[in-house]
Amino acid sequence: MSGRVPMTREGYEKIKAELDVMENEQMPEIEKRIAEARAEGDLKENAEYHGARESQGMLQAKINLLKDKLKRADIVDTSKLPKDEVVFGCTVAVKDLDFGDKEEFTLVGEGDEDYDNGKINVASPLGQGLVGKKVGEVAEVEVPAGLNKFEILEIRFDEQ
């Protein structure tokens, strides 16, 4: 993977804590399971051993992914960003011009997404469609079903 991953300090620390748990709690537990299964003898037909090795491989893949994300992290200081346009870290209130619904989205970096709570990835099609818009402007976002149009109602920065 290449490219910088924008994230807040809070998002960075969250990933770091998750990585710490994986490396210092979950991985030693799996290694213990492998050692116990290995002690049982014949490894060819030892389902516990093979299951633990598979778990180890999947956990290592997750660890590698998080390490890569942290290595490519670009901590964004939202206090230095423009306050009058949609940018990373802001919460934007929009009105869907086709349905009249009002929604709020917070633009976050990779790994901080929480779609149920309106936190969307700034690199997503919706995030990219909103970036750079100002209050009163209309954002057009291309989706598989067609073109969604959103009027920007409000832009704010929630203090962390």
Side-chain angles (χ1 to χ4, degrees), residues 11-48:
Y12 182 87
E13 294 301 329
K14 178 179 158 189
I15 291 172
K16 216 168 134 184
E18 185 179 351
L19 180 62
D20 184 59
V21 168
M22 287 179 181
E23 288 183 317
N24 298 313
E25 293 176 25
Q26 294 174 350
M27 189 59 83
E29 182 60 36
I30 290 173
E31 289 168 352
K32 181 180 167 192
R33 283 179 36 212
I34 290 172
E36 289 171 356
R38 185 177 279 139
E40 292 177 17
D42 186 14
L43 298 180
K44 280 192 225 170
E45 296 180 16
N46 188 330
E48 182 62 33

mmCIF file of all heavy atoms in Angstrom, residues 11-48:
data_model
loop_
_atom_site.group_PDB
_atom_site.id
_atom_site.type_symbol
_atom_site.label_atom_id
_atom_site.label_comp_id
_atom_site.label_asym_id
_atom_site.label_seq_id
_atom_site.Cartn_x
_atom_site.Cartn_y
_atom_site.Cartn_z
ATOM 1 N N GLY A 11 -7.393 9.218 16.514
ATOM 2 C CA GLY A 11 -7.470 8.019 15.685
ATOM 3 C C GLY A 11 -6.161 7.251 15.683
ATOM 4 O O GLY A 11 -6.141 6.024 15.730
ATOM 5 N N TYR A 12 -5.043 7.978 15.652
ATOM 6 C CA TYR A 12 -3.726 7.367 15.682
ATOM 7 C C TYR A 12 -3.533 6.596 16.986
ATOM 8 O O TYR A 12 -3.091 5.441 16.987
ATOM 9 C CB TYR A 12 -2.650 8.453 15.533
ATOM 10 C CG TYR A 12 -1.240 7.929 15.497
ATOM 11 C CD1 TYR A 12 -0.667 7.523 14.302
ATOM 12 C CD2 TYR A 12 -0.477 7.845 16.665
ATOM 13 C CE1 TYR A 12 0.638 7.043 14.263
ATOM 14 C CE2 TYR A 12 0.821 7.368 16.631
ATOM 15 C CZ TYR A 12 1.376 6.968 15.433
ATOM 16 O OH TYR A 12 2.656 6.485 15.399
ATOM 17 N N GLU A 13 -3.880 7.237 18.102
ATOM 18 C CA GLU A 13 -3.710 6.599 19.417
ATOM 19 C C GLU A 13 -4.617 5.370 19.556
ATOM 20 O O GLU A 13 -4.227 4.380 20.177
ATOM 21 C CB GLU A 13 -3.974 7.603 20.542
ATOM 22 C CG GLU A 13 -2.952 8.728 20.606
ATOM 23 C CD GLU A 13 -1.509 8.265 20.801
ATOM 24 O OE1 GLU A 13 -1.281 7.218 21.437
ATOM 25 O OE2 GLU A 13 -0.605 8.961 20.300
ATOM 26 N N LYS A 14 -5.803 5.431 18.970
ATOM 27 C CA LYS A 14 -6.739 4.304 19.021
ATOM 28 C C LYS A 14 -6.147 3.090 18.292
ATOM 29 O O LYS A 14 -6.186 1.966 18.793
ATOM 30 C CB LYS A 14 -8.066 4.730 18.378
ATOM 31 C CG LYS A 14 -9.117 3.676 18.318
ATOM 32 C CD LYS A 14 -10.374 4.253 17.675
ATOM 33 C CE LYS A 14 -11.241 3.171 17.101
ATOM 34 N NZ LYS A 14 -12.347 3.694 16.308
ATOM 35 N N ILE A 15 -5.577 3.323 17.111
ATOM 36 C CA ILE A 15 -4.969 2.239 16.344
ATOM 37 C C ILE A 15 -3.748 1.692 17.083
ATOM 38 O O ILE A 15 -3.530 0.479 17.138
ATOM 39 C CB ILE A 15 -4.591 2.718 14.928
ATOM 40 C CG1 ILE A 15 -5.859 2.993 14.121
ATOM 41 C CG2 ILE A 15 -3.722 1.686 14.216
ATOM 42 C CD1 ILE A 15 -5.610 3.657 12.777
ATOM 43 N N LYS A 16 -2.957 2.588 17.665
ATOM 44 C CA LYS A 16 -1.772 2.171 18.418
ATOM 45 C C LYS A 16 -2.158 1.272 19.597
ATOM 46 O O LYS A 16 -1.505 0.258 19.862
ATOM 47 C CB LYS A 16 -1.048 3.418 18.914
ATOM 48 C CG LYS A 16 0.441 3.318 18.914
ATOM 49 C CD LYS A 16 1.058 4.673 19.138
ATOM 50 C CE LYS A 16 2.143 4.548 20.171
ATOM 51 N NZ LYS A 16 2.736 5.801 20.528
ATOM 52 N N ALA A 17 -3.237 1.638 20.303
ATOM 53 C CA ALA A 17 -3.701 0.837 21.443
ATOM 54 C C ALA A 17 -4.211 -0.530 20.973
ATOM 55 O O ALA A 17 -3.939 -1.556 21.617
ATOM 56 C CB ALA A 17 -4.803 1.588 22.190
ATOM 57 N N GLU A 18 -4.907 -0.539 19.855
ATOM 58 C CA GLU A 18 -5.417 -1.799 19.300
ATOM 59 C C GLU A 18 -4.251 -2.711 18.910
ATOM 60 O O GLU A 18 -4.264 -3.920 19.184
ATOM 61 C CB GLU A 18 -6.286 -1.483 18.076
ATOM 62 C CG GLU A 18 -6.977 -2.673 17.466
ATOM 63 C CD GLU A 18 -7.845 -2.299 16.274
ATOM 64 O OE1 GLU A 18 -8.052 -1.098 16.007
ATOM 65 O OE2 GLU A 18 -8.317 -3.242 15.613
ATOM 66 N N LEU A 19 -3.224 -2.135 18.316
ATOM 67 C CA LEU A 19 -2.032 -2.885 17.925
ATOM 68 C C LEU A 19 -1.327 -3.460 19.153
ATOM 69 O O LEU A 19 -0.898 -4.615 19.153
ATOM 70 C CB LEU A 19 -1.087 -1.977 17.138
ATOM 71 C CG LEU A 19 0.212 -2.587 16.644
ATOM 72 C CD1 LEU A 19 -0.056 -3.734 15.682
ATOM 73 C CD2 LEU A 19 1.060 -1.518 15.966
ATOM 74 N N ASP A 20 -1.247 -2.672 20.205
ATOM 75 C CA ASP A 20 -0.604 -3.112 21.439
ATOM 76 C C ASP A 20 -1.317 -4.334 22.022
ATOM 77 O O ASP A 20 -0.673 -5.294 22.444
ATOM 78 C CB ASP A 20 -0.584 -1.958 22.450
ATOM 79 C CG ASP A 20 0.168 -2.335 23.715
ATOM 80 O OD1 ASP A 20 1.369 -2.669 23.610
ATOM 81 O OD2 ASP A 20 -0.450 -2.307 24.804
ATOM 82 N N VAL A 21 -2.640 -4.314 22.029
ATOM 83 C CA VAL A 21 -3.416 -5.453 22.537
ATOM 84 C C VAL A 21 -3.151 -6.692 21.688
ATOM 85 O O VAL A 21 -2.949 -7.791 22.209
ATOM 86 C CB VAL A 21 -4.925 -5.116 22.574
ATOM 87 C CG1 VAL A 21 -5.767 -6.359 22.816
ATOM 88 C CG2 VAL A 21 -5.208 -4.072 23.639
ATOM 89 N N MET A 22 -3.145 -6.507 20.382
ATOM 90 C CA MET A 22 -2.908 -7.646 19.487
ATOM 91 C C MET A 22 -1.530 -8.262 19.712
ATOM 92 O O MET A 22 -1.397 -9.479 19.800
ATOM 93 C CB MET A 22 -3.043 -7.214 18.022
ATOM 94 C CG MET A 22 -4.441 -6.953 17.579
ATOM 95 S SD MET A 22 -4.414 -6.433 15.841
ATOM 96 C CE MET A 22 -6.145 -6.174 15.563
ATOM 97 N N GLU A 23 -0.504 -7.408 19.814
ATOM 98 C CA GLU A 23 0.863 -7.911 19.934
ATOM 99 C C GLU A 23 1.186 -8.456 21.321
ATOM 100 O O GLU A 23 1.936 -9.429 21.438
ATOM 101 C CB GLU A 23 1.869 -6.801 19.596
ATOM 102 C CG GLU A 23 1.913 -6.451 18.134
ATOM 103 C CD GLU A 23 2.959 -5.412 17.811
ATOM 104 O OE1 GLU A 23 3.080 -4.420 18.561
ATOM 105 O OE2 GLU A 23 3.658 -5.588 16.800
ATOM 106 N N ASN A 24 0.653 -7.835 22.362
ATOM 107 C CA ASN A 24 1.068 -8.180 23.720
ATOM 108 C C ASN A 24 0.071 -9.023 24.514
ATOM 109 O O ASN A 24 0.409 -9.478 25.599
ATOM 110 C CB ASN A 24 1.403 -6.901 24.497
ATOM 111 C CG ASN A 24 2.553 -6.157 23.853
ATOM 112 O OD1 ASN A 24 3.570 -6.750 23.514
ATOM 113 N ND2 ASN A 24 2.380 -4.867 23.640
ATOM 114 N N GLU A 25 -1.134 -9.189 23.983
ATOM 115 C CA GLU A 25 -2.106 -10.025 24.681
ATOM 116 C C GLU A 25 -2.588 -11.175 23.799
ATOM 117 O O GLU A 25 -2.497 -12.341 24.183
ATOM 118 C CB GLU A 25 -3.301 -9.176 25.147
ATOM 119 C CG GLU A 25 -2.949 -8.166 26.222
ATOM 120 C CD GLU A 25 -4.116 -7.262 26.597
ATOM 121 O OE1 GLU A 25 -5.283 -7.667 26.416
ATOM 122 O OE2 GLU A 25 -3.852 -6.141 27.069
ATOM 123 N N GLN A 26 -3.095 -10.831 22.611
ATOM 124 C CA GLN A 26 -3.684 -11.854 21.757
ATOM 125 C C GLN A 26 -2.645 -12.797 21.151
ATOM 126 O O GLN A 26 -2.834 -14.012 21.154
ATOM 127 C CB GLN A 26 -4.524 -11.203 20.650
ATOM 128 C CG GLN A 26 -5.736 -10.470 21.180
ATOM 129 C CD GLN A 26 -6.493 -9.699 20.104
ATOM 130 O OE1 GLN A 26 -6.033 -9.543 18.980
ATOM 131 N NE2 GLN A 26 -7.671 -9.206 20.468
ATOM 132 N N MET A 27 -1.531 -12.260 20.644
ATOM 133 C CA MET A 27 -0.515 -13.101 20.013
ATOM 134 C C MET A 27 0.125 -14.069 21.021
ATOM 135 O O MET A 27 0.248 -15.260 20.716
ATOM 136 C CB MET A 27 0.545 -12.242 19.316
ATOM 137 C CG MET A 27 1.497 -13.055 18.459
ATOM 138 S SD MET A 27 0.714 -14.021 17.134
ATOM 139 C CE MET A 27 0.547 -12.784 15.857
ATOM 140 N N PRO A 28 0.514 -13.625 22.226
ATOM 141 C CA PRO A 28 1.058 -14.593 23.189
ATOM 142 C C PRO A 28 0.054 -15.702 23.549
ATOM 143 O O PRO A 28 0.449 -16.855 23.763
ATOM 144 C CB PRO A 28 1.391 -13.738 24.416
ATOM 145 C CG PRO A 28 1.646 -12.380 23.859
ATOM 146 C CD PRO A 28 0.682 -12.250 22.720
ATOM 147 N N GLU A 29 -1.219 -15.367 23.594
ATOM 148 C CA GLU A 29 -2.252 -16.375 23.887
ATOM 149 C C GLU A 29 -2.303 -17.422 22.772
ATOM 150 O O GLU A 29 -2.388 -18.625 23.040
ATOM 151 C CB GLU A 29 -3.620 -15.699 24.062
ATOM 152 C CG GLU A 29 -4.731 -16.645 24.417
ATOM 153 C CD GLU A 29 -4.521 -17.405 25.721
ATOM 154 O OE1 GLU A 29 -3.963 -16.840 26.673
ATOM 155 O OE2 GLU A 29 -4.921 -18.593 25.777
ATOM 156 N N ILE A 30 -2.234 -16.973 21.537
ATOM 157 C CA ILE A 30 -2.245 -17.911 20.404
ATOM 158 C C ILE A 30 -0.971 -18.757 20.416
ATOM 159 O O ILE A 30 -1.022 -19.970 20.180
ATOM 160 C CB ILE A 30 -2.390 -17.154 19.060
ATOM 161 C CG1 ILE A 30 -3.809 -16.571 18.951
ATOM 162 C CG2 ILE A 30 -2.103 -18.068 17.876
ATOM 163 C CD1 ILE A 30 -4.019 -15.674 17.746
ATOM 164 N N GLU A 31 0.159 -18.140 20.705
ATOM 165 C CA GLU A 31 1.415 -18.893 20.763
ATOM 166 C C GLU A 31 1.364 -19.959 21.848
ATOM 167 O O GLU A 31 1.894 -21.066 21.679
ATOM 168 C CB GLU A 31 2.587 -17.935 20.984
ATOM 169 C CG GLU A 31 2.876 -17.080 19.755
ATOM 170 C CD GLU A 31 3.824 -15.922 20.006
ATOM 171 O OE1 GLU A 31 4.175 -15.657 21.182
ATOM 172 O OE2 GLU A 31 4.206 -15.267 19.019
ATOM 173 N N LYS A 32 0.699 -19.638 22.943
ATOM 174 C CA LYS A 32 0.522 -20.617 24.027
ATOM 175 C C LYS A 32 -0.347 -21.791 23.540
ATOM 176 O O LYS A 32 -0.036 -22.951 23.815
ATOM 177 C CB LYS A 32 -0.126 -19.924 25.227
ATOM 178 C CG LYS A 32 -0.353 -20.809 26.418
ATOM 179 C CD LYS A 32 -0.993 -20.025 27.552
ATOM 180 C CE LYS A 32 -1.513 -20.951 28.629
ATOM 181 N NZ LYS A 32 -2.365 -20.245 29.579
ATOM 182 N N ARG A 33 -1.425 -21.477 22.804
ATOM 183 C CA ARG A 33 -2.294 -22.533 22.255
ATOM 184 C C ARG A 33 -1.522 -23.426 21.293
ATOM 185 O O ARG A 33 -1.693 -24.652 21.286
ATOM 186 C CB ARG A 33 -3.496 -21.922 21.517
ATOM 187 C CG ARG A 33 -4.581 -21.407 22.435
ATOM 188 C CD ARG A 33 -5.763 -20.780 21.701
ATOM 189 N NE ARG A 33 -6.125 -21.419 20.445
ATOM 190 C CZ ARG A 33 -6.629 -20.767 19.408
ATOM 191 N NH1 ARG A 33 -6.820 -19.463 19.443
ATOM 192 N NH2 ARG A 33 -6.957 -21.413 18.305
ATOM 193 N N ILE A 34 -0.660 -22.829 20.474
ATOM 194 C CA ILE A 34 0.143 -23.613 19.524
ATOM 195 C C ILE A 34 1.089 -24.548 20.280
ATOM 196 O O ILE A 34 1.199 -25.727 19.945
ATOM 197 C CB ILE A 34 0.934 -22.676 18.576
ATOM 198 C CG1 ILE A 34 -0.029 -21.979 17.614
ATOM 199 C CG2 ILE A 34 2.004 -23.452 17.803
ATOM 200 C CD1 ILE A 34 0.604 -20.893 16.770
ATOM 201 N N ALA A 35 1.739 -24.029 21.313
ATOM 202 C CA ALA A 35 2.682 -24.847 22.100
ATOM 203 C C ALA A 35 1.953 -26.013 22.767
ATOM 204 O O ALA A 35 2.460 -27.148 22.775
ATOM 205 C CB ALA A 35 3.379 -23.981 23.136
ATOM 206 N N GLU A 36 0.757 -25.740 23.315
ATOM 207 C CA GLU A 36 -0.010 -26.810 23.963
ATOM 208 C C GLU A 36 -0.438 -27.866 22.953
ATOM 209 O O GLU A 36 -0.375 -29.069 23.227
ATOM 210 C CB GLU A 36 -1.239 -26.225 24.668
ATOM 211 C CG GLU A 36 -0.895 -25.417 25.907
ATOM 212 C CD GLU A 36 -2.089 -24.651 26.476
ATOM 213 O OE1 GLU A 36 -3.191 -24.675 25.870
ATOM 214 O OE2 GLU A 36 -1.914 -24.014 27.529
ATOM 215 N N ALA A 37 -0.873 -27.424 21.769
ATOM 216 C CA ALA A 37 -1.301 -28.367 20.747
ATOM 217 C C ALA A 37 -0.121 -29.167 20.205
ATOM 218 O O ALA A 37 -0.245 -30.367 19.942
ATOM 219 C CB ALA A 37 -1.999 -27.616 19.602
ATOM 220 N N ARG A 38 1.036 -28.524 20.082
ATOM 221 C CA ARG A 38 2.238 -29.193 19.589
ATOM 222 C C ARG A 38 2.663 -30.293 20.575
ATOM 223 O O ARG A 38 3.134 -31.352 20.178
ATOM 224 C CB ARG A 38 3.357 -28.170 19.410
ATOM 225 C CG ARG A 38 4.600 -28.744 18.790
ATOM 226 C CD ARG A 38 5.672 -27.701 18.567
ATOM 227 N NE ARG A 38 5.364 -26.975 17.342
ATOM 228 C CZ ARG A 38 5.501 -25.664 17.189
ATOM 229 N NH1 ARG A 38 5.940 -24.928 18.174
ATOM 230 N NH2 ARG A 38 5.216 -25.085 16.045
ATOM 231 N N ALA A 39 2.456 -30.044 21.856
ATOM 232 C CA ALA A 39 2.844 -31.012 22.887
ATOM 233 C C ALA A 39 1.992 -32.275 22.835
ATOM 234 O O ALA A 39 2.387 -33.308 23.371
ATOM 235 C CB ALA A 39 2.727 -30.371 24.268
ATOM 236 N N GLU A 40 0.853 -32.200 22.167
ATOM 237 C CA GLU A 40 -0.032 -33.369 22.075
ATOM 238 C C GLU A 40 0.456 -34.416 21.087
ATOM 239 O O GLU A 40 -0.120 -35.486 20.985
ATOM 240 C CB GLU A 40 -1.458 -32.928 21.709
ATOM 241 C CG GLU A 40 -2.134 -32.153 22.815
ATOM 242 C CD GLU A 40 -3.510 -31.648 22.421
ATOM 243 O OE1 GLU A 40 -4.082 -32.152 21.424
ATOM 244 O OE2 GLU A 40 -4.012 -30.762 23.115
ATOM 245 N N GLY A 41 1.482 -34.090 20.307
ATOM 246 C CA GLY A 41 2.044 -35.107 19.420
ATOM 247 C C GLY A 41 1.836 -34.815 17.950
ATOM 248 O O GLY A 41 2.047 -33.689 17.493
ATOM 249 N N ASP A 42 1.406 -35.838 17.195
ATOM 250 C CA ASP A 42 1.276 -35.807 15.736
ATOM 251 C C ASP A 42 0.558 -34.545 15.249
ATOM 252 O O ASP A 42 -0.611 -34.331 15.541
ATOM 253 C CB ASP A 42 0.525 -37.055 15.269
ATOM 254 C CG ASP A 42 0.481 -37.167 13.758
ATOM 255 O OD1 ASP A 42 1.244 -36.432 13.083
ATOM 256 O OD2 ASP A 42 -0.310 -37.975 13.252
ATOM 257 N N LEU A 43 1.278 -33.720 14.490
ATOM 258 C CA LEU A 43 0.723 -32.439 14.041
ATOM 259 C C LEU A 43 -0.121 -32.567 12.779
ATOM 260 O O LEU A 43 -0.927 -31.704 12.489
ATOM 261 C CB LEU A 43 1.853 -31.427 13.796
ATOM 262 C CG LEU A 43 2.698 -31.071 15.023
ATOM 263 C CD1 LEU A 43 3.763 -30.058 14.634
ATOM 264 C CD2 LEU A 43 1.830 -30.521 16.140
ATOM 265 N N LYS A 44 0.051 -33.666 12.020
ATOM 266 C CA LYS A 44 -0.698 -33.807 10.770
ATOM 267 C C LYS A 44 -2.199 -33.832 10.988
ATOM 268 O O LYS A 44 -2.942 -33.271 10.204
ATOM 269 C CB LYS A 44 -0.285 -35.105 10.053
ATOM 270 C CG LYS A 44 1.001 -34.980 9.299
ATOM 271 C CD LYS A 44 1.164 -36.193 8.413
ATOM 272 C CE LYS A 44 2.585 -36.691 8.535
ATOM 273 N NZ LYS A 44 2.789 -37.962 7.908
ATOM 274 N N GLU A 45 -2.631 -34.480 12.030
ATOM 275 C CA GLU A 45 -4.072 -34.625 12.267
ATOM 276 C C GLU A 45 -4.512 -33.884 13.528
ATOM 277 O O GLU A 45 -5.535 -34.228 14.117
ATOM 278 C CB GLU A 45 -4.417 -36.109 12.358
ATOM 279 C CG GLU A 45 -4.153 -36.839 11.063
ATOM 280 C CD GLU A 45 -4.483 -38.311 11.147
ATOM 281 O OE1 GLU A 45 -5.185 -38.724 12.081
ATOM 282 O OE2 GLU A 45 -4.035 -39.053 10.261
ATOM 283 N N ASN A 46 -3.781 -32.880 13.920
ATOM 284 C CA ASN A 46 -4.070 -32.135 15.135
ATOM 285 C C ASN A 46 -4.843 -30.858 14.769
ATOM 286 O O ASN A 46 -4.275 -29.841 14.402
ATOM 287 C CB ASN A 46 -2.751 -31.797 15.849
ATOM 288 C CG ASN A 46 -2.966 -31.193 17.210
ATOM 289 O OD1 ASN A 46 -3.964 -30.518 17.445
ATOM 290 N ND2 ASN A 46 -2.018 -31.415 18.106
ATOM 291 N N ALA A 47 -6.159 -30.938 14.862
ATOM 292 C CA ALA A 47 -7.025 -29.821 14.463
ATOM 293 C C ALA A 47 -6.787 -28.584 15.329
ATOM 294 O O ALA A 47 -6.839 -27.453 14.832
ATOM 295 C CB ALA A 47 -8.487 -30.235 14.537
ATOM 296 N N GLU A 48 -6.512 -28.777 16.604
ATOM 297 C CA GLU A 48 -6.269 -27.649 17.506
ATOM 298 C C GLU A 48 -5.019 -26.886 17.062
ATOM 299 O O GLU A 48 -5.012 -25.650 17.030
ATOM 300 C CB GLU A 48 -6.102 -28.149 18.948
ATOM 301 C CG GLU A 48 -5.898 -27.047 19.967
ATOM 302 C CD GLU A 48 -7.060 -26.064 20.080
ATOM 303 O OE1 GLU A 48 -8.213 -26.472 19.906
ATOM 304 O OE2 GLU A 48 -6.799 -24.871 20.334
#
